[in-house]
Amino acid sequence: MTTKLQLALLLVAAMALVATLLAVFISGRGVDPGRLDARQLAVVGLIAGAVFIAGLIVWHMGSVARKDAQKAKAESQHLRRNLAAADAIIRAEPQVLIFWEQGQAVRIVSHTLTGIPGLPEHHAEILRFGQWLERPSADGLKTSLDKLFTHGIAFTVIVKTMAGGTLEAEGRAAGGRAVLRFKDVSPYKAEIARIDDHHAELARDIRSSRALLDTLPMPVWLRDPAGQLVWVNTAYVKAVEADSELEVLERQIELLETRQRKQVAKTVAAGESYKARIHLIAGGQRKPHDIVILPVEGMTAGAAVDVTDIETAQGELDRQVAAYDRTLDRVETAVALFDRDQKLVFHNAAFQKLWSLDPEWLATRPSDSDILDRLREIGVLPAVVSHRDWKAQILAGARTGTPLEDTWRLTDERTINVIAEQRADGGVTYLFADETDRIALESRYNAFIDVQSETLDSLKEGVAVFGTDGRLKLFNRAFCDIWQIPTRKLNEKPHIGEIIAAVETLHPDAGTWMRIGRAVTAFQDERESFSGQMDRTDHFVIDYALMPLPDGATLLTFADVTDAKLAERALVERNEALIAADSLKSNFIGHISYELRTPLQTINGFSELLADPLFGELNAKQREYLADIMFSSKTLLAIINDILDLTTIEAGGIELKLAPAGVRSIFDAAILGIRERAVRSRLTIDIAVADDVTEIMVDEARMRQILYNLLSNAVGFSNVNGTVHLACWREDGMINFRIDDEGIGIPKDQIGRVFQRFESRSRGSEHRGAGLGLSIAKSLVELHGGTIEITSEEGRGTRVIVRIPENPVARLAGDTDSSTDRLADGSRAA
């Protein structure tokens, strides 16, 4: 149906529809068609127009829809033809085609490949590569697919099935799609056959090479990429003392040591060849070998060449030459060797140093004539009238076989002794000895002997030196004076026996003189030194000492110590008197302290009774006086107890009762003793105990006394409203106690005396004790095997640190239980 016909039909339908609507309108309203007014006609016209337009729209849409349907049908037919063609192309080639598209499941598009052993027929099995491909092929294929999916890298690989089949796997990617194709590799069989032929040729070459290597007397081996031995020759089998090549390969018997193999592996890993001379145990003997190992496409080939004979010969030659050179280099005499052509062939370090010649110039092998000319140029040779004639004379004497010996006085004041002699090979050897130091030393020696003689004569000690023959070699005037021997007689170099006979009357001790005489004259491998003192019959006291000298001689010295001995005796007697006085003082103090302690305890007892309300009420003034009496008596009792403690400590009579004790209970007991004084001074006691410190192995009563004394000292010298810090912690096997105060401090010049007995000071503070608390604390800490140290800054306060071992051992013993209880009572009373 044409477009015009469709439009005409649409127009007729629209007119019919308008007429129908007009008829309905007129009949519905009962109006005469001939009497319609303008408004009614306009409505009818609008309706007719709308119907007409709607019809046009419907017609147009239908026309467009028909065109689109015709176009889609044509495209569908074209795509079907293309799909059929693509499917025919795909199925025309034997292959397995697997298709991946992003967001969709994998599809096997084609499976027309047959006749491949091990290739699954079902699609689901094909995708399980690990079940039908060999493991290396499956792993390689998986790796290639990962790169294809991730980076779009195409690949073509040859894979093998578990049944022995061979396939070519090709992967490609485009956009979000990937394709894997398996094809038969039959087209490559010709190439494989060629490769097999080439492989056979290479195998023959390898067998020939290995047969040749097997005849070599040196060990040769091959390793695979994993470092395992895969082939060794007969020499290798003999070197490792194995029965066969098979045994070596099965047991992997190594010729190189582990350390050597590590060095080889490090070098080969860097892609370099390894060459070194090392010692190996081959055939049960350790021999030097030159090792050569080459990396070859992942494998390594190695050989070990026995160089024992070469190294022995070379070593012997090198040792002889080196020994000769070392000998000449170490001598102080300058040596120069010239060959038959008068060319320099050797010179030692002393030659170059003596003449200060350029080493590079000497390396050019100058002649002896050139060297003399060079020495003249630098101005060191002695001045002569004619250098030419002098040089000719020197060279002629050496070359005619007549030994030359001369002395040169150089321009720099050095004296050189020159010796030249012709050798059997026609060469000449020159020796240049610098005699300058020898001559100067000889002069200094003579001067030293003179000075030594004067020095010995000025000494107050008598000195005598005896030679190995026992005769006197050297002496001074003091020796003559001490033993009253005339100088004339000693100048005759008498024997030690003659001297002993002359002086024996002054000290008639045959044992001492026999020992001295034997030490001077005896021949012993180990000579001893000894000393002693002689009390002579003329009331002189002589100290003597004998010392062997390195040259075999013997030095004997005598010193008059009579005055020093008298002074020493006086000091000894005085010291003994002081010790006796100190002992008497200690006994007196201890006795008085015991005598004072009993009435003080009585006073304390009656004071406590008076304070008890059961015996009557006291007024405020009486209670105040009674409190002062009790406080003063307890203080005095504590001082007496401290004196008794010091007396007991000095006598070594304290025995510690070591037992586990709670740190906090010790703190509480010590603080209880100073609480009243701390309250009066409005002090704060700050306590810090580490969590891991609960118990300590100490004598609890003594430890309480230590802390009480230190806290008492800190409270006494603290300012009002101050703070005293008490801390305890564990460190390096020690339990540490620290007491800090913020008081007036201690001057630096007095810190060293704070632990001395009866060292007391007030420094403006109201506190002044007997000066025994710190001394007792120090002694008790040391009895526990601990240490105590004090630091202070004047005006800033004082810090005391006590360190007690975690497992202390008592250092003194012998005291009774009553003394320990007494000290504990003194701490509580204080």
Side-chain angles (χ1 to χ4, degrees):
M1 185 179 293
T2 63
T3 304
K4 291 182 179 180
L5 181 59
Q6 291 174 353
L7 184 59
L9 292 175
L10 180 61
L11 180 59
V12 171
M15 292 177 65
L17 179 61
V18 170
T20 303
L21 290 174
L22 181 60
V24 171
F25 177 78
I26 293 173
S27 63
R29 290 181 174 266
V31 179
D32 186 3
R35 296 181 178 179
L36 294 174
D37 56 12
R39 180 172 175 274
Q40 291 173 341
L41 290 175
V43 170
V44 172
L46 287 174
I47 292 172
V51 171
F52 180 75
I53 292 172
L56 288 176
I57 292 173
V58 170
W59 172 81
H60 178 70
M61 291 178 64
S63 176
V64 171
R66 285 190 298 274
K67 289 181 179 179
D68 290 341
Q70 292 174 356
K71 183 177 180 181
K73 183 177 180 180
E75 290 179 355
S76 176
Q77 293 174 351
H78 178 70
L79 290 175
R80 287 178 180 176
R81 287 193 299 272
N82 290 342
L83 181 60
D87 184 69
I89 293 172
I90 291 172
R91 295 183 182 277
E93 182 179 359
Q95 63 180 345
V96 176
L97 189 63
I98 305 173
F99 179 75
W100 287 271
E101 185 172 3
Q102 189 173 5
Q104 296 184 12
V106 62
R107 290 182 294 162
I108 299 180
V109 178
S110 173
H111 187 349
T112 59
L113 184 60
T114 59
I116 304 298
L119 178 64
E121 296 181 358
H122 301 288
H123 292 183
E125 296 177 355
I126 291 178
L127 297 176
R128 299 167 184 165
F129 303 127
Q131 295 182 0
W132 59 278
L133 289 178
E134 293 183 352
R135 184 177 182 83
S137 297
D139 293 341
L141 180 60
K142 182 179 181 303
T143 302
S144 300
L145 285 174
D146 290 340
K147 293 180 180 179
L148 177 67
F149 296 149
T150 305
H151 305 291
I153 300 175
F155 66 89
T156 300
V157 296
I158 303 298
V159 296
K160 292 185 177 181
T161 66
M162 293 182 179
T166 305
L167 294 170
E168 177 185 355
E170 179 181 5
R172 297 291 184 269
R177 301 175 181 85
V179 177
L180 174 62
R181 177 183 299 173
F182 289 106
K183 298 188 299 183
D184 190 3
V185 293
S186 296
Y188 300 101
K189 288 184 179 180
E191 180 67 17
I192 293 174
R194 189 187 68 79
I195 293 174
D196 287 341
D197 294 340
H198 184 61
H199 175 72
E201 294 178 3
L202 292 177
R204 286 193 299 271
D205 292 342
I206 291 174
R207 286 193 296 272
S208 301
S209 300
R210 289 187 178 182
L212 178 62
L213 293 174
D214 201 42
T215 62
L216 295 178
M218 66 186 70
V220 180
W221 65 90
L222 295 175
R223 295 181 186 274
D224 61 13
Q228 299 293 313
L229 292 171
V230 296
W231 181 83
V232 295
N233 67 347
T234 304
Y236 188 101
V237 176
K238 293 180 180 180
V240 298
E241 299 180 330
D243 295 332
S244 63
E245 177 186 352
L246 181 60
E247 181 185 0
V248 174
L249 298 180
E250 288 180 351
R251 295 173 52 193
Q252 290 293 305
I253 303 176
E254 296 288 352
L255 180 63
L256 301 180
E257 298 176 357
T258 303
R259 175 177 54 83
Q260 297 165 348
R261 294 200 302 273
K262 289 182 179 179
Q263 294 177 352
V264 171
K266 184 177 180 181
T267 303
V268 172
E272 301 176 358
S273 300
Y274 178 83
K275 296 180 180 180
R277 177 168 293 182
I278 59 180
H279 285 75
L280 300 176
I281 298 177
Q285 297 181 357
R286 187 174 180 85
K287 300 178 181 180
H289 288 73
D290 280 343
I291 303 298
V292 179
I293 298 179
L294 305 175
V296 182
E297 297 182 359
M299 300 183 66
T300 55
V305 182
D306 188 352
V307 293
T308 304
D309 296 337
I310 297 175
E311 190 170 86
T312 301
Q314 184 65 38
E316 184 62 28
L317 178 61
D318 292 343
R319 281 192 295 272
Q320 291 180 359
V321 173
Y324 186 71
D325 292 346
R326 284 197 305 271
T327 301
L328 294 180
D329 272 334
R330 290 182 178 180
V331 299
E332 296 182 357
T333 301
V335 180
L337 304 181
F338 295 86
D339 59 14
R340 63 174 61 248
D341 298 325
Q342 289 79 48
K343 295 294 184 180
L344 181 66
V345 294
F346 173 81
H347 69 280
N348 64 352
F351 178 83
Q352 193 274 330
K353 181 180 179 181
L354 176 66
W355 301 115
S356 301
L357 295 174
D358 184 7
E360 295 182 358
W361 182 74
L362 292 176
T364 62
R365 300 182 60 191
S367 66
D368 49 2
S369 176
D370 294 337
I371 291 177
L372 290 176
D373 291 339
R374 176 62 64 90
L375 294 178
R376 180 174 179 269
E377 291 175 4
I378 62 179
V380 296
L381 290 180
V384 293
V385 176
S386 174
H387 175 73
R388 182 189 298 271
D389 296 340
W390 177 82
K391 181 177 72 171
Q393 181 182 358
I394 296 294
L395 298 179
R399 294 172 183 173
T400 57
T402 304
L404 170 69
E405 185 170 358
D406 194 9
T407 300
W408 297 352
R409 182 72 175 177
L410 304 183
T411 56
D412 56 3
E413 303 300 327
R414 287 184 297 171
T415 301
I416 306 298
N417 185 32
V418 182
I419 298 176
E421 186 174 357
Q422 190 174 31
R423 300 192 306 274
D425 61 355
V428 181
T429 299
Y430 285 87
L431 304 177
F432 302 90
D434 189 348
E435 300 289 337
T436 307
D437 293 339
R438 184 186 65 79
I439 295 173
L441 181 62
E442 193 174 306
S443 175
R444 288 197 301 271
Y445 175 76
N446 294 330
F448 173 75
I449 292 298
D450 295 337
V451 172
Q452 184 185 53
S453 299
E454 293 295 330
T455 303
L456 289 176
D457 285 339
S458 64
L459 293 176
K460 294 182 180 181
E461 294 81 4
V463 178
V465 178
F466 295 89
T468 55
D469 56 357
R471 292 192 172 277
L472 184 66
K473 300 298 183 183
L474 183 66
F475 66 94
N476 64 350
R477 285 194 297 267
F479 181 77
C480 300
D481 297 339
I482 290 174
W483 292 108
Q484 303 172 12
I485 303 175
T487 305
R488 176 182 53 80
K489 184 176 182 179
L490 295 179
N491 286 332
E492 296 175 0
K493 311 298 182 184
H495 192 270
I496 181 64
E498 299 176 30
I499 295 177
I500 291 175
V503 303
E504 196 171 7
T505 55
L506 294 175
H507 183 65
D509 185 351
T512 300
W513 291 118
M514 183 179 295
R515 186 182 182 189
I516 292 175
R518 190 173 297 168
V520 171
T521 58
F523 292 95
Q524 299 176 350
D525 294 337
E526 295 184 2
R527 304 171 64 196
E528 62 174 350
S529 299
F530 58 87
S531 60
Q533 195 172 80
M534 299 178 179
D535 289 329
R536 299 197 328 194
T537 56
D538 56 358
H539 305 295
F540 280 90
V541 180
I542 307 298
D543 278 349
Y544 69 91
L546 185 142
M547 179 182 299
L549 299 179
D551 60 353
T554 304
L555 173 66
L556 192 59
T557 62
F558 299 91
D560 187 353
V561 294
T562 305
D563 296 337
K565 192 65 176 179
L566 294 174
E568 179 184 348
R569 289 172 181 171
L571 290 174
V572 169
E573 293 173 356
R574 182 179 180 185
N575 186 55
E576 291 175 351
L578 290 174
I579 292 174
D582 186 67
S583 177
L584 180 62
K585 178 199 69 176
S586 298
N587 292 335
F588 174 75
I589 291 174
H591 179 73
I592 294 300
S593 298
Y594 276 114
E595 292 298 327
L596 291 175
R597 191 166 184 254
T598 301
L600 278 175
Q601 287 178 338
T602 303
I603 293 172
N604 282 336
F606 282 113
S607 298
E608 292 175 357
L609 289 175
L610 289 174
D612 193 337
L614 295 176
F615 294 93
E617 292 292 337
L618 300 178
N619 57 37
K621 203 64 175 178
Q622 290 173 335
R623 286 195 299 271
E624 180 183 354
Y625 290 157
L626 184 58
D628 291 339
I629 292 172
M630 293 174 65
F631 179 77
S632 298
S633 61
K634 288 180 180 180
T635 301
L636 182 57
L637 181 60
I639 293 173
I640 293 172
N641 287 335
D642 288 344
I643 294 173
L644 291 176
D645 288 343
L646 281 177
T647 305
T648 306
I649 291 172
E650 288 180 354
I654 288 185
E655 180 181 0
L656 298 179
K657 294 181 178 180
L658 299 179
V663 174
R664 290 195 174 273
S665 63
I666 295 175
F667 277 15
D668 294 341
I671 293 172
L672 182 63
I674 54 92
R675 176 175 297 174
E676 183 179 348
R677 292 168 54 196
V679 170
R680 286 203 302 267
S681 298
R682 298 189 296 277
L683 298 177
T684 300
I685 307 297
D686 180 44
I687 302 174
V689 181
D691 294 338
D692 61 341
V693 181
T694 57
E695 287 188 345
I696 180 172
M697 181 68 70
V698 291
D699 186 324
E700 183 173 1
R702 300 302 183 187
M703 195 67 224
R704 186 168 61 244
Q705 185 178 2
I706 293 170
L707 294 180
Y708 167 76
N709 289 348
L710 297 178
L711 285 172
S712 178
N713 194 71
V715 169
F717 289 97
S718 292
N719 298 322
V720 177
N721 295 322
T723 301
V724 175
H725 301 272
L726 176 60
C728 178
W729 72 97
R730 187 191 310 272
E731 182 179 3
D732 298 333
M734 306 288 284
I735 303 298
N736 299 279
F737 298 88
R738 187 181 66 227
I739 296 92
D740 295 308
D741 66 64
E742 302 170 353
I744 60 176
I746 305 173
K748 291 183 179 180
D749 58 343
Q750 296 183 15
I751 289 182
R753 303 198 305 268
V754 296
F755 291 114
Q756 296 179 5
R757 291 180 297 176
F758 303 107
E759 181 65 27
S760 179
R761 60 188 181 85
S762 62
R763 296 281 299 168
S765 169
E766 296 179 357
H767 174 75
R768 182 175 182 87
L772 299 175
L774 293 180
S775 177
I776 292 175
K778 182 175 183 296
S779 299
L780 293 177
V781 169
E782 291 175 349
L783 286 177
H784 281 84
T787 61
I788 183 171
E789 64 181 44
I790 185 169
T791 57
S792 181
E793 184 176 351
E794 195 169 2
R796 298 290 296 275
T798 303
R799 168 174 290 181
V800 180
I801 297 179
V802 175
R803 296 182 176 89
I804 302 295
E806 292 189 37
N807 297 304
V809 178
R811 297 176 57 188
L812 296 177
D815 193 16
T816 61
D817 294 343
S818 60
S819 62
T820 303
D821 296 337
R822 184 181 65 249
L823 286 176
D825 294 341
S827 175
R828 288 192 294 270

